[in-house]
Amino acid sequence: MRKLALLVSFLLIYANPAFSQNRQLLIPPIPNEETNSDKIAIVLLEKPQTERQINKLLKSYPDVQLRHVFSEAITGFSIKGSATSIEQLAKSSQIIKIEPVQSYQAQMEENIKMIGTEEVRGIFDKNNRRLTGKGVTVGVIDTGVDYTHPDLRRSYGGGHDLVDSDRDPMETKSNQGDATYHGTHVAGIIAADGRIQGVAPEAKIIAYRALGPGGSGTTEQILAAIEMAIKAHVDILNLSLGNEVNGPDLPISMALNRAVDKGIVAVAASGNSGPHEWTVGSPGTASKAISVGASTPATEIPYLLIEGTRPKIKMEPMTDSKVWNVDRSMDIIYGGLGTKRELARVKNKIVLIQRGRLTFTEKAKNALEAGARGVIIYNNMKGSFIGNLQKPISIPVASITKNEGQWVKKQIKKGKALVRFFFKKEQDRLADFSSRGPVTGTWEIKPDVVAPGVAINSTVPGGYLSLQGTSMAAPHVAGACALIKQAHPEWTPAQIKSALMNTAKPLFKNNSRPYRTFEQGAGRIQVKEAIQSQTLVIPGSLQFGKFHFSNRADRHSAVVTIENTGDRSERYTFRMPEDTEGLTWKMPMPFSLDPREKRKIEIELAVDAKSFKKKIQDGCLELDTKSTTIRIPYIYVLEEPNYPRVMGFDMGEGDKPGTYRYEVYLPGGAEEFGIAMFNAADYRFVGFLDTKRNVGKGMLQVEIDSRKLPETGTYLMKIFAKKANREDFIEAQIKIEKH
């Protein structure tokens, strides 16, 4: 039912249409489509089993086919079979749980200078070589890589295609389906070495094509790629991909944690679903991976001005569209909802389109095919919005508010059809589209760090292109990790992650207030400072868990390891956090460490239920040394905080004739859950698809008899869940076809 789609960086989250919505074979083919009668699922085992043992387990289920055995990324295997057999199989005592295949989407040279890479070139490793990533391998799990690109020929070190099951991880070409270039863009940011240079130009790129035409793939393909990368002993792994489910327990998140345990630095994009809290998606939710948000390098934000008027309107560029670079006056025309018929006369013009009916990608694609030079989409409800495209578009696309769009539409009708664009420079701000945390379930800070992700120029098949997204931010961090690994080959993934977090630069909003820790993590990376770290604090951030208040103080503690990596003794002093009513901190006394010495210390926090009422408390603890101050982000939450109670809904035909099947993710479970159906044309209430009480947390999968469904047509589904006196809902348009 679901497809896994690359996050162009592996982070190209889907935009809701009308609502904020002759080769040598190496392994058995892993298709990225399910049939109508069979489902693909991931089985997690209690302990490792051989293929023979697994086949014995499956012997009682003749319609269940073993597809792939995993031993490195996860302990388990993938299967295809009927929902009934899979449900029966799940009852086996040898199985922890069975997870459905999830959908993932690809995320899409001042930015290189900004993180300090230029300064790093003057630093040498222990073999007296400049820091360029030489000797370090970076696995890129994405849409493939154009290894014939002149800037990537020297960097390419081979790879595998998990879509076509061969050794040729070339990007999808137009004669094979929807062409891709996301993986090539990501690889260029990491290790381009030609006309442009990546962060680590002499690192070796191992390409794993896990996303096929249009940047689409499956959980199974990505797990197979992680499995191969672990077996190949890559040093760094970059996943610029993800989905919209904010949960730490999805298979890919678990596989990244396993990869880290095996010595690989895992880097994942946090997602392009910001700017609200709780929007970080898997695998950016993996505890041990480095989850990366997007910041702005020195970039120019576009504003539009209708000739003969005064207001300048700020535009919000959409992720995975071309950077807005129209610098002269142009005609602007109204294009309705962006259908092909409405865009018949937009050639060489800017087109204004209303949000609704079609996806942002469909609107932009229609405009591109009609010859438009740029697209401005205005909201169909109050307020602004941040749009995401399903795949990269080679013309600029931006959004404005409903009021602004209606005003521009009026000016066009008055004959004022000439528009100019102005640009205002911004730097070191958090990109609005960058997904925020915290993570549900573990209540962790994610992203861990941020890196440039706006207007990033890099390689694509046939040339170069500027794109934006956390998919572009993640490879900056992967490249930085390659430089740190060259400088400190003995450092573990945890040490490399902490070096980046301990030395990150905190970012501030326009009002000079810092972004919260679960928005930016420790801040924007600084590579030189990370390489030259004299002290490491591990982990780089702390979570004190979820408080269950009673009449007495609730006490929590966190343990960190302080390591002196320098050549001289160092004295450490924790600053006492600012006084907050209801909070009592117990901090360690000052202490000293000799060179290469480390010590575990405990930090305690007590909360008085009578005085403290916040749902989320976050901030930074500060550790002073002789030469610097290290900031350690922390977070804790009270009872059931304001996370979304429901997310990740999908629906399609079921396994049995005459059935439909839906799945939805409930991060904390639900005391009440339901799906209401409305006619999409007039919003008339049709009835309830399902209602339940006291549902457990995680992925809920339910099969519905089609006789309980309304007639063939398109319906608006309102999916709601309630827990701890908070109710949330999401909306989705679903087409029902009765046979």
Side-chain angles (χ1 to χ4, degrees):
M1 178 163 47
R2 281 185 179 269
K3 281 185 184 178
L4 199 64
L6 182 58
L7 218 104
V8 163
S9 290
F10 239 26
L11 257 174
L12 213 146
I13 303 298
Y14 285 116
N16 196 300
F19 310 91
S20 297
Q21 55 153 348
N22 296 315
R23 299 174 176 171
Q24 179 186 1
L25 293 179
L26 300 177
I27 60 173
I30 300 178
N32 60 7
E33 294 283 354
E34 299 176 11
T35 67
N36 287 332
S37 59
D38 292 312
K39 297 299 175 184
I40 300 172
I42 307 298
V43 181
L44 303 178
L45 293 170
E46 282 279 1
K47 57 183 180 180
Q49 293 191 22
T50 65
E51 185 172 343
R52 183 176 179 180
Q53 290 173 316
I54 294 170
N55 279 321
K56 185 177 180 180
L57 175 64
L58 298 178
K59 191 175 181 180
S60 301
Y61 308 93
D63 64 328
V64 175
Q65 173 191 349
L66 176 64
R67 291 169 56 82
H68 200 84
V69 178
F70 303 104
S71 59
E72 302 290 347
I74 58 172
T75 300
F77 55 93
S78 61
I79 54 174
K80 182 169 72 173
S82 69
T84 301
S85 293
I86 292 174
E87 288 171 4
Q88 290 298 316
L89 178 63
K91 298 176 182 178
S92 170
S93 60
Q94 303 173 58
I95 293 173
I96 298 175
K97 62 178 177 178
I98 297 181
E99 289 278 358
V101 163
Q102 291 295 307
S103 297
Y104 288 79
Q105 183 72 33
Q107 315 279 353
M108 287 256 134
E109 279 86 4
E110 182 67 27
N111 51 297
I112 301 297
K113 297 178 183 177
M114 186 176 190
I115 62 174
T117 302
E118 196 172 49
E119 296 173 322
V120 169
R121 298 289 184 259
I123 303 175
F124 294 81
D125 66 11
K126 296 174 182 178
N127 296 313
N128 203 33
R129 299 179 302 192
R130 292 184 185 276
L131 295 184
T132 58
K134 191 174 183 65
V136 180
T137 57
V138 183
V140 175
I141 299 179
D142 215 287
T143 55
V145 169
D146 179 8
Y147 45 78
T148 67
H149 195 291
D151 290 14
L152 292 174
R153 288 174 185 166
R154 287 190 290 270
S155 303
Y156 179 67
H160 297 272
D161 186 332
L162 286 305
V163 179
D164 295 333
S165 301
D166 56 42
R167 282 200 175 112
D168 185 11
M170 175 60 75
E171 295 268 16
T172 301
K173 297 181 179 180
S174 56
N175 62 350
Q176 301 170 313
D178 288 342
T180 60
Y181 50 77
H182 186 263
T184 302
H185 199 275
V186 168
I189 295 171
I190 297 169
D193 190 10
R195 175 178 162 185
I196 64 172
Q197 282 208 328
V199 178
E202 292 194 289
K204 281 296 177 188
I205 296 293
I206 309 298
Y208 298 94
R209 181 177 178 249
L211 303 178
S216 177
T218 66
T219 303
E220 184 184 33
Q221 290 165 325
I222 296 174
L223 286 174
I226 297 173
E227 182 95 354
M228 281 189 159
I230 294 173
K231 290 179 178 178
H233 303 291
V234 300
D235 298 302
I236 320 291
L237 198 52
N238 186 92
L239 286 84
S240 286
L241 56 83
N243 64 19
E244 76 280 12
V245 177
N246 180 350
D249 54 349
L250 273 67
I252 294 177
S253 292
M254 297 166 64
L256 286 191
N257 288 335
R258 180 79 70 88
V260 173
D261 289 340
K262 293 177 180 290
I264 296 173
V265 180
V267 180
S270 69
N272 297 332
S273 299
H276 301 299
E277 299 171 8
W278 308 102
T279 50
V280 61
S282 175
T285 54
S287 295
K288 297 178 182 180
I290 305 175
S291 179
V292 187
S295 65
T296 60
T299 189
E300 294 182 323
I301 304 300
Y303 288 76
L304 72 84
L305 174 67
I306 300 290
E307 296 282 17
T309 66
R310 288 189 175 185
K312 293 180 182 178
I313 299 174
K314 181 180 179 180
M315 303 191 300
E316 296 288 352
M318 290 198 179
T319 56
D320 296 311
S321 70
K322 185 180 179 182
V323 172
W324 202 280
N325 58 359
V326 181
D327 57 358
R328 60 186 177 86
S329 296
M330 294 194 69
D331 290 330
I332 185 168
I333 189 171
Y334 179 62
L337 289 169
T339 64
K340 291 183 178 181
R341 180 181 58 81
E342 292 172 302
L343 301 179
R345 294 182 292 177
V346 302
K347 188 173 183 178
N348 294 324
K349 296 181 175 67
I350 303 297
V351 58
L352 176 72
I353 298 175
Q354 182 182 351
R355 184 181 187 182
R357 189 180 300 176
L358 304 178
T359 67
F360 303 140
T361 307
E362 289 170 330
K363 295 174 189 288
K365 184 179 179 182
N366 289 343
L368 173 65
E369 292 175 350
R373 297 292 300 276
V375 177
I376 301 171
I377 300 176
Y378 70 92
N379 211 350
N380 56 0
M381 56 190 74
K382 289 183 179 181
S384 60
F385 69 99
I386 307 299
N388 305 293
L389 300 179
Q390 293 172 311
K391 60 182 180 180
I393 295 291
S394 59
I395 57 174
V397 183
S399 66
I400 58 177
T401 68
K402 180 180 180 179
N403 288 340
E404 292 166 343
Q406 290 176 336
W407 182 84
V408 173
K409 180 181 175 182
K410 287 181 182 178
Q411 303 310 308
I412 294 173
K413 286 185 175 180
K414 290 179 181 179
K416 296 179 180 180
L418 201 62
V419 63
R420 283 192 294 151
F421 298 94
F422 298 85
F423 301 89
K424 180 180 178 182
K425 183 164 284 190
E426 287 189 2
Q427 179 172 319
D428 262 349
R429 298 283 169 82
L430 195 59
D432 283 343
F433 61 76
S434 185
S435 291
R436 275 73 161 167
V439 179
T440 64
T442 58
W443 318 113
E444 290 178 301
I445 292 171
K446 293 286 179 176
D448 297 294
V449 293
V450 297
V454 176
I456 306 301
N457 188 44
S458 185
T459 50
V460 293
Y464 309 85
L465 188 66
S466 288
L467 296 174
Q468 63 182 11
T470 56
S471 286
M472 282 61 256
H476 282 84
V477 174
C481 291
L483 298 177
I484 299 171
K485 187 69 176 178
Q486 181 188 350
H488 304 283
E490 75 284 0
W491 278 11
T492 65
Q495 288 174 305
I496 292 174
K497 178 178 179 179
S498 286
L500 284 169
M501 296 183 70
N502 295 167
T503 58
K505 176 185 178 181
L507 303 187
F508 293 81
K509 301 178 182 180
N510 286 325
N511 58 9
S512 297
R513 295 182 60 185
Y515 291 97
R516 299 188 70 170
T517 62
F518 52 79
E519 295 180 299
Q520 65 168 322
R524 196 254 297 156
I525 64 168
Q526 301 185 104
V527 185
K528 180 183 178 182
E529 287 80 357
I531 290 170
Q532 296 179 335
S533 296
Q534 299 297 299
T535 295
L536 295 178
V537 179
I538 305 173
S541 65
L542 304 175
Q543 67 271 1
F544 288 92
K546 184 166 68 172
F547 282 72
H548 300 281
F549 281 176
S550 60
N551 292 325
R552 56 183 177 80
D554 197 351
R555 297 182 179 276
H556 287 245
S557 65
V559 176
V560 298
T561 298
I562 314 297
E563 182 177 358
N564 181 358
T565 59
D567 297 321
R568 63 183 184 185
S569 61
E570 190 69 80
R571 185 165 178 79
Y572 300 98
T573 304
F574 276 95
R575 296 186 191 178
M576 184 60 67
E578 291 184 8
D579 287 339
T580 302
E581 187 177 3
L583 301 185
T584 303
W585 293 89
K586 183 178 179 182
M587 306 299 292
M589 296 295 291
F591 62 95
S592 297
L593 292 177
D594 291 331
R596 316 303 174 190
E597 186 182 3
K598 56 186 176 182
R599 176 184 298 180
K600 288 187 177 181
I601 59 101
E602 185 176 31
I603 299 170
E604 296 183 9
L605 174 62
V607 183
D608 182 356
K610 297 178 181 178
S611 305
F612 187 78
K613 303 297 181 185
K614 285 186 180 181
K615 286 290 186 180
I616 300 177
Q617 172 70 22
D618 69 307
C620 285
L621 303 178
E622 295 181 317
L623 176 64
D624 288 331
T625 70
K626 295 175 184 176
S627 58
T628 190
T629 297
I630 298 173
R631 300 167 64 257
I632 311 164
Y634 71 85
I635 189 172
Y636 62 85
V637 299
L638 166 63
E639 294 294 343
E640 290 290 333
N642 63 338
Y643 63 88
R645 280 5 184 200
V646 58
M647 58 182 69
F649 176 81
D650 197 11
M651 183 173 174
E653 291 190 26
D655 300 314
K656 300 175 183 177
T659 64
Y660 267 74
R661 183 181 180 86
Y662 75 79
E663 61 184 42
V664 63
Y665 191 80
L666 304 174
E671 295 160 0
E672 298 178 25
F673 167 81
I675 303 174
M677 296 183 293
F678 300 84
N679 188 296
D682 56 12
Y683 300 101
R684 174 177 51 85
F685 177 66
V686 176
F688 285 97
L689 176 67
D690 200 4
T691 59
K692 295 180 183 297
R693 288 182 177 272
N694 300 319
V695 185
K697 68 178 182 179
M699 188 68 72
L700 174 66
Q701 294 179 299
V702 177
E703 202 159 86
I704 302 289
D705 190 320
S706 62
R707 290 174 294 184
K708 297 181 180 180
L709 298 176
E711 294 304 311
T712 295
T714 301
Y715 296 89
L716 169 64
M717 303 290 188
K718 182 175 179 180
I719 306 97
F720 63 89
K722 182 177 181 180
K723 184 173 184 180
N725 297 317
R726 176 187 168 104
E727 180 177 314
D728 289 319
F729 71 89
I730 55 176
E731 294 177 331
Q733 277 190 319
I734 299 295
K735 188 174 183 179
I736 295 174
E737 294 182 352
K738 284 195 170 182
H739 304 291

